[in-house]
Amino acid sequence: MTTPAFIGGGDPGAKDGAELRLASFKGALRFWWRATMAGEVGNNVDELHRREAELFGASAGGPGGGGQSAVRMFLEVSDKPKPVEVGDVLKDGRTTVGSGARYLGYGVMTAFGKDSGKLTRACLPAPFEFTVQMRLKPTIRSRRAELERAIKVMGLFGGLGSKSRKGYGSLTLMSLKRKGDGEVWTAPTTTDEFLEAITTLKLSPLRGAQPEWTAFSDQARVMLVPARKGDSAMALLNRLGEDLVMYRSWGNEGRVLEKEKAERNFREDHDLIYEVKGVAIKHPKRVAFGLPHNYFIKDRKKPGRRKTVFVGALKYERRASPLFFHIHEVENQTPIGVVLLMPARFLPERELIVIGKGRDAKSAPLSANVLEPVDAFLTRLKEGPKPKQGRPYREPYAGVKEVRFV
């Protein structure tokens, strides 16, 4: 575990209610197994469920039919970390984690203000190591390679717990050992080794279509971002978070991150929320980063006050971001930021984006190029912000490498 993990224990609401549980690991492994399967099952959801139930089990009456898991797992933690409790300040070494890391942790900690970094949910501090043993039933051993691939993918891109898509709870697969064969995998330590590790996965991404679920396809992209010399895993996560804020945020009185001048890349979004009337003909571009995507704006009818404007889907409460942050780190080596975009069907066909609630709600159809802003963010990581008059200077990343699954 390379970054703090917000994993709920038996009592997740408790002040120290963070605990590494096998259930969390199993759930994440199933997610990343599904992410590798779109090309192999031809984007067929029913076939996906059938094969998932066969491997991992399913509840009676659930998709794929009922049955026990064909994979038995055992979790071992040699040195259990003491949770950082609710109300404590999350730190990187002796200092409070930076504003970018706090932004990515919004919802489990106070992001800004006098209580910056104070946890609203307990977490497990990083780094620490753990081991999972797996045993396959004889009837399923022919699918061992399929399971091993999912484990490797999770160890390169995944994490555990709340905010795992934002880089918290990042996992690095240090070693994979197979009975009778010994060690068959060790963690890459450089961006070049990471690129080679992706190649050895032998993924079969879906081609020529968008996945029906979050999965690898020929539209997926990865950016590998090396940390600066001497930077910790959390320092790198903080820098990535700052870049996301600078790119996305309109700012408060022209400022973001409490002091930086806002770039204001999405002026149309800002103006749309203030001016939308009747039936909206378009939606904010930044819905691409996930729903709901609410706005906290000045109330022009009540000077000095602010109001929240809801932006979400008509029939669905949430749509997770297609963007994944991950921090890969091996002891005594420079951390690598891994930023993965996995496009998939954003919302069901004919679903609408709604702006506002109740009688004031307006709706707009989903744009065909909805993920364009997320795609542009990945390009920005590689090329740096585009020159623009009045735009604050941001030092570009050095040595960024891109992977496409074509």
Side-chain angles (χ1 to χ4, degrees):
M1 193 78 72
T2 64
T3 56
F6 293 87
I7 309 173
D11 183 5
K15 189 176 181 180
D16 61 349
E19 179 185 358
L20 180 60
R21 306 175 73 193
L22 188 56
S24 298
F25 182 88
K26 287 180 178 179
L29 181 59
R30 291 179 75 146
F31 172 87
W32 288 104
W33 175 86
R34 291 192 295 269
T36 67
M37 294 300 294
E40 297 204 8
V41 301
N43 212 19
N44 186 309
V45 175
D46 290 336
E47 177 63 11
L48 177 80
H49 287 158
R50 185 193 69 77
R51 293 184 65 168
E52 181 177 5
E54 188 178 73
L55 189 61
F56 295 106
S59 58
Q68 291 185 336
S69 173
V71 185
R72 296 184 64 190
M73 302 186 195
F74 307 87
L75 174 67
E76 299 176 6
V77 186
S78 58
D79 189 11
K80 293 184 179 180
K82 181 181 178 182
V84 184
E85 298 183 354
V86 172
D88 289 347
V89 173
L90 186 62
K91 295 187 176 183
D92 181 19
R94 296 183 178 182
T95 61
T96 302
V97 293
S99 54
R102 299 196 305 266
Y103 171 78
L104 293 174
Y106 184 81
V108 294
M109 70 182 74
T110 303
F112 305 109
K114 63 182 181 66
D115 291 330
S116 291
K118 186 176 288 188
L119 297 185
T120 56
R121 181 170 176 176
C123 73
L124 296 176
F128 68 91
E129 295 187 0
F130 63 94
T131 300
V132 177
Q133 292 188 25
M134 301 185 186
R135 298 175 186 172
L136 276 63
K137 290 183 178 179
T139 55
I140 213 72
R141 285 177 184 166
S142 61
R143 294 175 62 183
R144 183 183 65 189
E146 184 182 307
L147 180 63
E148 287 184 359
R149 182 181 59 189
I151 296 167
K152 294 173 184 177
V153 167
M154 184 168 71
L156 292 173
F157 303 109
L160 300 182
S162 296
K163 300 298 174 182
S164 61
R165 293 195 187 207
K166 295 295 191 291
Y168 284 94
S170 289
L171 294 175
T172 294
L173 178 62
M174 301 299 295
S175 174
L176 180 62
K177 297 177 181 178
R178 188 188 304 143
K179 186 176 180 180
D181 296 327
E183 191 169 57
V184 296
W185 167 278
T186 56
T189 61
T190 66
T191 52
D192 285 338
E193 289 181 6
F194 202 107
L195 290 171
E196 179 63 24
I198 292 176
T199 302
T200 63
L201 292 173
K202 297 181 180 179
L203 289 171
S204 299
L206 182 68
R207 303 182 191 280
Q210 199 168 70
E212 291 295 323
W213 63 93
T214 301
F216 287 96
S217 71
D218 55 6
Q219 300 171 37
R221 298 175 67 190
V222 177
M223 291 295 176
L224 303 179
V225 184
R228 293 175 293 199
K229 186 176 181 180
D231 274 0
S232 66
M234 284 303 293
L236 177 55
L237 184 62
N238 176 65
R239 193 174 178 212
L240 290 169
E242 286 182 345
D243 227 38
L244 183 62
V245 177
M246 294 296 295
Y247 175 68
R248 286 186 56 179
S249 180
W250 177 259
N252 183 15
E253 304 298 336
R255 298 285 168 180
V256 296
L257 301 172
E258 302 178 308
K259 59 181 180 180
E260 299 281 351
K261 183 179 179 181
E263 292 183 9
R264 294 189 166 178
N265 295 307
F266 295 92
R267 182 175 292 275
E268 288 184 6
D269 285 8
H270 173 268
D271 295 344
L272 174 66
I273 295 301
Y274 275 110
E275 298 173 5
V276 64
K277 295 179 181 179
V279 177
I281 59 173
K282 59 183 178 180
H283 57 73
K285 292 181 179 179
R286 285 171 291 177
V287 301
F289 289 94
L291 296 172
H293 169 64
N294 299 335
Y295 288 75
F296 189 53
I297 65 173
K298 293 179 180 178
D299 191 334
R300 291 178 173 175
K301 295 181 180 180
K302 299 177 181 178
R305 294 190 178 186
R306 290 181 173 270
K307 64 178 181 179
T308 300
V309 178
F310 170 83
V311 178
L314 180 63
K315 299 178 182 178
Y316 295 82
E317 290 186 4
R318 301 186 64 83
R319 202 299 181 183
S321 173
L323 189 64
F324 294 76
F325 290 88
H326 174 89
I327 303 298
H328 180 88
E329 185 179 33
V330 178
E331 188 176 5
N332 299 322
Q333 301 292 330
T334 300
I336 301 170
V338 184
V339 185
L340 166 66
L341 170 61
M342 278 200 293
R345 181 183 291 277
F346 194 76
L347 289 171
E349 193 173 352
R350 291 188 290 275
E351 173 67 339
L352 299 174
I353 300 294
V354 176
I355 304 172
K357 287 188 174 182
R359 291 182 296 178
D360 295 328
K362 320 299 178 190
S363 60
L366 192 67
S367 66
N369 59 343
V370 62
L371 293 183
E372 183 179 359
V374 188
D375 216 40
F377 174 70
L378 265 71
T379 300
R380 169 196 172 101
L381 291 176
K382 186 176 182 180
E383 301 178 359
K386 293 182 179 179
K388 180 179 176 182
Q389 187 176 3
R391 183 193 296 273
Y393 173 75
R394 297 285 290 174
E395 180 184 351
Y397 295 96
V400 176
K401 296 186 178 182
E402 181 176 2
V403 180
R404 288 181 180 265
F405 299 87
V406 295

PDB file of all heavy atoms in Angstrom, residues 135-153:
ATOM      1  N   ARG A 135      -6.131 -20.009  -3.659  1.00  0.00           N
ATOM      2  CA  ARG A 135      -6.191 -21.417  -4.063  1.00  0.00           C
ATOM      3  C   ARG A 135      -7.387 -21.598  -4.983  1.00  0.00           C
ATOM      4  O   ARG A 135      -8.506 -21.232  -4.639  1.00  0.00           O
ATOM      5  CB  ARG A 135      -6.316 -22.327  -2.839  1.00  0.00           C
ATOM      6  CG  ARG A 135      -5.114 -22.237  -1.894  1.00  0.00           C
ATOM      7  CD  ARG A 135      -5.325 -23.061  -0.637  1.00  0.00           C
ATOM      8  NE  ARG A 135      -4.236 -22.858   0.318  1.00  0.00           N
ATOM      9  CZ  ARG A 135      -4.244 -23.329   1.553  1.00  0.00           C
ATOM     10  NH1 ARG A 135      -5.291 -24.050   1.991  1.00  0.00           N
ATOM     11  NH2 ARG A 135      -3.216 -23.102   2.367  1.00  0.00           N
ATOM     12  N   LEU A 136      -7.126 -22.188  -6.149  1.00  0.00           N
ATOM     13  CA  LEU A 136      -8.180 -22.393  -7.135  1.00  0.00           C
ATOM     14  C   LEU A 136      -8.698 -23.830  -7.075  1.00  0.00           C
ATOM     15  O   LEU A 136      -7.917 -24.771  -6.911  1.00  0.00           O
ATOM     16  CB  LEU A 136      -7.653 -22.124  -8.550  1.00  0.00           C
ATOM     17  CG  LEU A 136      -7.642 -20.683  -9.035  1.00  0.00           C
ATOM     18  CD1 LEU A 136      -6.712 -19.818  -8.199  1.00  0.00           C
ATOM     19  CD2 LEU A 136      -7.262 -20.633 -10.508  1.00  0.00           C
ATOM     20  N   LYS A 137     -10.003 -23.958  -7.212  1.00  0.00           N
ATOM     21  CA  LYS A 137     -10.578 -25.290  -7.313  1.00  0.00           C
ATOM     22  C   LYS A 137     -10.098 -25.949  -8.604  1.00  0.00           C
ATOM     23  O   LYS A 137      -9.866 -25.273  -9.612  1.00  0.00           O
ATOM     24  CB  LYS A 137     -12.103 -25.209  -7.311  1.00  0.00           C
ATOM     25  CG  LYS A 137     -12.702 -24.806  -5.977  1.00  0.00           C
ATOM     26  CD  LYS A 137     -14.225 -24.822  -6.038  1.00  0.00           C
ATOM     27  CE  LYS A 137     -14.837 -24.473  -4.677  1.00  0.00           C
ATOM     28  NZ  LYS A 137     -16.321 -24.470  -4.718  1.00  0.00           N
ATOM     29  N   PRO A 138      -9.940 -27.263  -8.597  1.00  0.00           N
ATOM     30  CA  PRO A 138      -9.447 -27.972  -9.794  1.00  0.00           C
ATOM     31  C   PRO A 138     -10.252 -27.667 -11.047  1.00  0.00           C
ATOM     32  O   PRO A 138      -9.691 -27.607 -12.148  1.00  0.00           O
ATOM     33  CB  PRO A 138      -9.560 -29.447  -9.402  1.00  0.00           C
ATOM     34  CG  PRO A 138      -9.465 -29.439  -7.904  1.00  0.00           C
ATOM     35  CD  PRO A 138     -10.154 -28.188  -7.465  1.00  0.00           C
ATOM     36  N   THR A 139     -11.558 -27.450 -10.898  1.00  0.00           N
ATOM     37  CA  THR A 139     -12.415 -27.223 -12.058  1.00  0.00           C
ATOM     38  C   THR A 139     -12.142 -25.896 -12.748  1.00  0.00           C
ATOM     39  O   THR A 139     -12.596 -25.673 -13.867  1.00  0.00           O
ATOM     40  CB  THR A 139     -13.889 -27.258 -11.627  1.00  0.00           C
ATOM     41  OG1 THR A 139     -14.092 -26.293 -10.569  1.00  0.00           O
ATOM     42  CG2 THR A 139     -14.281 -28.641 -11.136  1.00  0.00           C
ATOM     43  N   ILE A 140     -11.416 -25.006 -12.109  1.00  0.00           N
ATOM     44  CA  ILE A 140     -11.236 -23.667 -12.635  1.00  0.00           C
ATOM     45  C   ILE A 140      -9.759 -23.330 -12.911  1.00  0.00           C
ATOM     46  O   ILE A 140      -9.418 -22.221 -13.325  1.00  0.00           O
ATOM     47  CB  ILE A 140     -11.848 -22.631 -11.646  1.00  0.00           C
ATOM     48  CG1 ILE A 140     -12.413 -21.431 -12.407  1.00  0.00           C
ATOM     49  CG2 ILE A 140     -10.854 -22.201 -10.590  1.00  0.00           C
ATOM     50  CD1 ILE A 140     -13.676 -21.743 -13.150  1.00  0.00           C
ATOM     51  N   ARG A 141      -8.877 -24.291 -12.707  1.00  0.00           N
ATOM     52  CA  ARG A 141      -7.442 -24.005 -12.831  1.00  0.00           C
ATOM     53  C   ARG A 141      -7.022 -23.634 -14.247  1.00  0.00           C
ATOM     54  O   ARG A 141      -5.975 -23.025 -14.452  1.00  0.00           O
ATOM     55  CB  ARG A 141      -6.632 -25.192 -12.318  1.00  0.00           C
ATOM     56  CG  ARG A 141      -6.631 -25.273 -10.803  1.00  0.00           C
ATOM     57  CD  ARG A 141      -5.900 -26.480 -10.278  1.00  0.00           C
ATOM     58  NE  ARG A 141      -6.020 -26.549  -8.812  1.00  0.00           N
ATOM     59  CZ  ARG A 141      -5.725 -27.616  -8.090  1.00  0.00           C
ATOM     60  NH1 ARG A 141      -5.281 -28.720  -8.694  1.00  0.00           N
ATOM     61  NH2 ARG A 141      -5.867 -27.592  -6.781  1.00  0.00           N
ATOM     62  N   SER A 142      -7.837 -23.976 -15.222  1.00  0.00           N
ATOM     63  CA  SER A 142      -7.518 -23.590 -16.603  1.00  0.00           C
ATOM     64  C   SER A 142      -7.604 -22.068 -16.789  1.00  0.00           C
ATOM     65  O   SER A 142      -7.093 -21.540 -17.784  1.00  0.00           O
ATOM     66  CB  SER A 142      -8.472 -24.281 -17.581  1.00  0.00           C
ATOM     67  OG  SER A 142      -9.817 -23.893 -17.324  1.00  0.00           O
ATOM     68  N   ARG A 143      -8.209 -21.399 -15.820  1.00  0.00           N
ATOM     69  CA  ARG A 143      -8.364 -19.943 -15.929  1.00  0.00           C
ATOM     70  C   ARG A 143      -7.387 -19.210 -14.996  1.00  0.00           C
ATOM     71  O   ARG A 143      -7.579 -18.038 -14.693  1.00  0.00           O
ATOM     72  CB  ARG A 143      -9.814 -19.556 -15.611  1.00  0.00           C
ATOM     73  CG  ARG A 143     -10.792 -20.086 -16.653  1.00  0.00           C
ATOM     74  CD  ARG A 143     -12.229 -19.827 -16.289  1.00  0.00           C
ATOM     75  NE  ARG A 143     -12.517 -18.407 -16.205  1.00  0.00           N
ATOM     76  CZ  ARG A 143     -13.703 -17.905 -15.842  1.00  0.00           C
ATOM     77  NH1 ARG A 143     -14.697 -18.744 -15.537  1.00  0.00           N
ATOM     78  NH2 ARG A 143     -13.900 -16.619 -15.790  1.00  0.00           N
ATOM     79  N   ARG A 144      -6.352 -19.901 -14.589  1.00  0.00           N
ATOM     80  CA  ARG A 144      -5.369 -19.290 -13.692  1.00  0.00           C
ATOM     81  C   ARG A 144      -4.734 -18.051 -14.318  1.00  0.00           C
ATOM     82  O   ARG A 144      -4.549 -17.029 -13.648  1.00  0.00           O
ATOM     83  CB  ARG A 144      -4.294 -20.305 -13.331  1.00  0.00           C
ATOM     84  CG  ARG A 144      -3.265 -19.784 -12.333  1.00  0.00           C
ATOM     85  CD  ARG A 144      -2.176 -20.804 -12.069  1.00  0.00           C
ATOM     86  NE  ARG A 144      -1.384 -21.044 -13.277  1.00  0.00           N
ATOM     87  CZ  ARG A 144      -0.475 -22.006 -13.377  1.00  0.00           C
ATOM     88  NH1 ARG A 144      -0.269 -22.844 -12.370  1.00  0.00           N
ATOM     89  NH2 ARG A 144       0.211 -22.152 -14.500  1.00  0.00           N
ATOM     90  N   ALA A 145      -4.369 -18.118 -15.592  1.00  0.00           N
ATOM     91  CA  ALA A 145      -3.713 -16.989 -16.257  1.00  0.00           C
ATOM     92  C   ALA A 145      -4.615 -15.760 -16.267  1.00  0.00           C
ATOM     93  O   ALA A 145      -4.145 -14.621 -16.119  1.00  0.00           O
ATOM     94  CB  ALA A 145      -3.327 -17.373 -17.684  1.00  0.00           C
ATOM     95  N   GLU A 146      -5.895 -16.005 -16.428  1.00  0.00           N
ATOM     96  CA  GLU A 146      -6.891 -14.930 -16.421  1.00  0.00           C
ATOM     97  C   GLU A 146      -6.916 -14.223 -15.063  1.00  0.00           C
ATOM     98  O   GLU A 146      -6.969 -12.991 -14.976  1.00  0.00           O
ATOM     99  CB  GLU A 146      -8.251 -15.556 -16.731  1.00  0.00           C
ATOM    100  CG  GLU A 146      -9.414 -14.635 -16.879  1.00  0.00           C
ATOM    101  CD  GLU A 146     -10.670 -15.456 -17.138  1.00  0.00           C
ATOM    102  OE1 GLU A 146     -10.663 -16.290 -18.077  1.00  0.00           O
ATOM    103  OE2 GLU A 146     -11.637 -15.272 -16.384  1.00  0.00           O
ATOM    104  N   LEU A 147      -6.859 -14.996 -13.999  1.00  0.00           N
ATOM    105  CA  LEU A 147      -6.859 -14.436 -12.648  1.00  0.00           C
ATOM    106  C   LEU A 147      -5.542 -13.715 -12.358  1.00  0.00           C
ATOM    107  O   LEU A 147      -5.539 -12.614 -11.786  1.00  0.00           O
ATOM    108  CB  LEU A 147      -7.086 -15.556 -11.633  1.00  0.00           C
ATOM    109  CG  LEU A 147      -7.125 -15.143 -10.159  1.00  0.00           C
ATOM    110  CD1 LEU A 147      -8.294 -14.208  -9.893  1.00  0.00           C
ATOM    111  CD2 LEU A 147      -7.217 -16.373  -9.262  1.00  0.00           C
ATOM    112  N   GLU A 148      -4.429 -14.328 -12.764  1.00  0.00           N
ATOM    113  CA  GLU A 148      -3.131 -13.696 -12.535  1.00  0.00           C
ATOM    114  C   GLU A 148      -3.040 -12.348 -13.253  1.00  0.00           C
ATOM    115  O   GLU A 148      -2.477 -11.384 -12.739  1.00  0.00           O
ATOM    116  CB  GLU A 148      -2.004 -14.614 -13.010  1.00  0.00           C
ATOM    117  CG  GLU A 148      -1.783 -15.817 -12.098  1.00  0.00           C
ATOM    118  CD  GLU A 148      -0.605 -16.660 -12.541  1.00  0.00           C
ATOM    119  OE1 GLU A 148       0.032 -16.311 -13.566  1.00  0.00           O
ATOM    120  OE2 GLU A 148      -0.307 -17.675 -11.873  1.00  0.00           O
ATOM    121  N   ARG A 149      -3.583 -12.290 -14.438  1.00  0.00           N
ATOM    122  CA  ARG A 149      -3.576 -11.019 -15.185  1.00  0.00           C
ATOM    123  C   ARG A 149      -4.337  -9.941 -14.429  1.00  0.00           C
ATOM    124  O   ARG A 149      -3.889  -8.791 -14.338  1.00  0.00           O
ATOM    125  CB  ARG A 149      -4.190 -11.229 -16.570  1.00  0.00           C
ATOM    126  CG  ARG A 149      -4.189  -9.977 -17.438  1.00  0.00           C
ATOM    127  CD  ARG A 149      -4.833 -10.251 -18.776  1.00  0.00           C
ATOM    128  NE  ARG A 149      -6.208 -10.703 -18.632  1.00  0.00           N
ATOM    129  CZ  ARG A 149      -6.949 -11.177 -19.622  1.00  0.00           C
ATOM    130  NH1 ARG A 149      -6.430 -11.281 -20.834  1.00  0.00           N
ATOM    131  NH2 ARG A 149      -8.190 -11.559 -19.426  1.00  0.00           N
ATOM    132  N   ALA A 150      -5.476 -10.290 -13.863  1.00  0.00           N
ATOM    133  CA  ALA A 150      -6.264  -9.315 -13.094  1.00  0.00           C
ATOM    134  C   ALA A 150      -5.492  -8.834 -11.868  1.00  0.00           C
ATOM    135  O   ALA A 150      -5.547  -7.643 -11.514  1.00  0.00           O
ATOM    136  CB  ALA A 150      -7.593  -9.937 -12.684  1.00  0.00           C
ATOM    137  N   ILE A 151      -4.768  -9.749 -11.213  1.00  0.00           N
ATOM    138  CA  ILE A 151      -3.960  -9.372 -10.050  1.00  0.00           C
ATOM    139  C   ILE A 151      -2.881  -8.378 -10.455  1.00  0.00           C
ATOM    140  O   ILE A 151      -2.647  -7.365  -9.785  1.00  0.00           O
ATOM    141  CB  ILE A 151      -3.325 -10.625  -9.411  1.00  0.00           C
ATOM    142  CG1 ILE A 151      -4.408 -11.556  -8.868  1.00  0.00           C
ATOM    143  CG2 ILE A 151      -2.361 -10.235  -8.299  1.00  0.00           C
ATOM    144  CD1 ILE A 151      -3.886 -12.943  -8.505  1.00  0.00           C
ATOM    145  N   LYS A 152      -2.219  -8.643 -11.568  1.00  0.00           N
ATOM    146  CA  LYS A 152      -1.165  -7.750 -12.046  1.00  0.00           C
ATOM    147  C   LYS A 152      -1.733  -6.378 -12.421  1.00  0.00           C
ATOM    148  O   LYS A 152      -1.137  -5.337 -12.109  1.00  0.00           O
ATOM    149  CB  LYS A 152      -0.460  -8.373 -13.251  1.00  0.00           C
ATOM    150  CG  LYS A 152       0.325  -9.631 -12.929  1.00  0.00           C
ATOM    151  CD  LYS A 152       0.855 -10.282 -14.200  1.00  0.00           C
ATOM    152  CE  LYS A 152       1.560 -11.592 -13.916  1.00  0.00           C
ATOM    153  NZ  LYS A 152       2.022 -12.253 -15.176  1.00  0.00           N
ATOM    154  N   VAL A 153      -2.861  -6.370 -13.109  1.00  0.00           N
ATOM    155  CA  VAL A 153      -3.487  -5.105 -13.503  1.00  0.00           C
ATOM    156  C   VAL A 153      -3.854  -4.288 -12.267  1.00  0.00           C
ATOM    157  O   VAL A 153      -3.629  -3.068 -12.215  1.00  0.00           O
ATOM    158  CB  VAL A 153      -4.729  -5.375 -14.381  1.00  0.00           C
ATOM    159  CG1 VAL A 153      -5.571  -4.112 -14.541  1.00  0.00           C
ATOM    160  CG2 VAL A 153      -4.307  -5.881 -15.755  1.00  0.00           C
TER     161      VAL A 153
END
